[in-house]
Amino acid sequence: MLHSPLNRQLAERHHASAPLVAAISSLGRAAKRIAFELRGAGLAGLLGDAGTTSHQGEAQQKLDLHANDLICAELRFSGTTGIVASEEIEQPHLLNDTGSLAVLIDTLDGSSNIDANMPVGMIFSIYARLGSSPSADVLQPGCQQLAAGYVIFSSATVMVVATSGRVDAFTLCPYTGDFLLSLAAITTPVTSQYYSVNEGYAATWDPATQQFVAAHRIGRRGRYVGALVADFHRNLLYGGLFLYPADHSSGQPVTKLRLCYEGNPLAFIAEAAGGAGSTGRQRLLAIQPTNLHQRVAIAIGSRDDVAAYEAALRAQ
Ligand code: P6P
């Protein structure tokens, strides 16, 4: 029932195992600490670049690194997470030899928006360890996820959690510090009046995508925050199609968003809510990852809108 605390809801409605409840609860503890840090970041000198670049050559925000440390510490403390992989670190890290889970994290997605006080998000994806190697543990197809979720840090701090076939939202109670059930059994509209894409890149898209977006936008409203979790969350609740197509301007398709810790967890959530997640040509959850940080085109959200985009590409 509404306002049920996170742990109890995970155990009773999601039938999550004790290790999985422990891991998600530890992510909740990390989210509380990050939410607190974000509120005072402008006063604590935590905004802006860290002056470092990630292994992927991208400027790191101070809070990216801070959030990564917080999350890894909480997961280590939970004891049930064996392996953690993150956008911020090149290789998977062993946290606990006996931990049965592998957790993949996009620590603070949209962090370049932090200085402007825009919404940011933490995305997580959880698998059972296979036991062969850390790489094998984190390079599983998205359909093997035990759970996936995100935390959106905005006017409220909300954690959305999906296990097979069920999506719930939990709002961080500012009075008790607990994540309490605020939306139960979320389903996403099969079609929508919203679409989310950065149309500034339209000239770089393939012709079929250009034609699709030009037609799809008629009678619809564009909504694009520039923070994946914020755009995804709005579309999950109201319906919407989020597109991040490949850039073909160099002659080869170049994509931006990551499969393992962005596309797969969000596609798992979308499908559990009755939506879909695709590259435009194939189901995201069916892809066998080959690299932890591999990038992929993404079309995700309302089921019929994703299907319409896939049909447009097939007809190309
Ligand atoms: P663009 C943020 O940098 C991010 O990784 C996602 O959160 C967001 O959806 C996307 O990039 C925005 O990219 O190229 O439109 O600014």
Side-chain angles (χ1 to χ4, degrees), residues 138-150:
V138 300
L139 292 180
Q140 298 182 56
C143 56
Q144 297 299 317
Q145 292 172 92
L146 298 177
Y150 58 84

Side-chain angles (χ1 to χ4, degrees), residues 109-110 112 198 201 224 226-229 231 242 244 256-257 262:
D109 181 81
S112 55
N198 186 336
Y201 301 143
Y224 193 75
L228 176 57
V229 169
D231 283 315
F242 176 94
Y244 207 107
K256 175 175 188 180
L257 301 178
E262 291 175 320

